[in-house]
């Protein structure tokens, strides 16, 4: 089967300490992937 999948990850952090924007993004991204709020929809494509 083939599926069409939409995935949305939403998370907000206002307490990240980092030395650069890139490091802050990486910290937030890692935290979101392991505990953010996920919304997803799947439909059969064929």
């Amino acid at each position: 089967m083939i599926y069409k999948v939409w995935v949305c990850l939403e998370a907000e952090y206002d307490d990240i300490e980092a030395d650069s924007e890139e490091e802050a993004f990486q910290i937030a991204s890692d935290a979101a992937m392991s505990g953010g709020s996920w919304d997803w929809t799947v439909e059969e494509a064929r």
Side-chain angles (χ1 to χ4, degrees), residues 1-24:
M1 298 218 150
I2 296 175
Y3 295 94
K4 187 173 191 176
V5 181
W6 295 267
V7 178
C8 180
L9 169 61
E10 186 172 332
E12 183 176 323
Y13 304 98
D14 61 1
D15 60 349
I16 293 178
E17 292 184 23
D19 293 328
S20 68
E21 289 182 10
E22 292 81 12
E23 182 184 9

Side-chain angles (χ1 to χ4, degrees), residues 7-11 13 28-40:
V7 178
C8 180
L9 169 61
E10 186 172 332
Y13 304 98
S29 178
D30 291 346
M33 292 291 285
S34 65
S37 176
W38 291 90
D39 185 26
W40 54 276

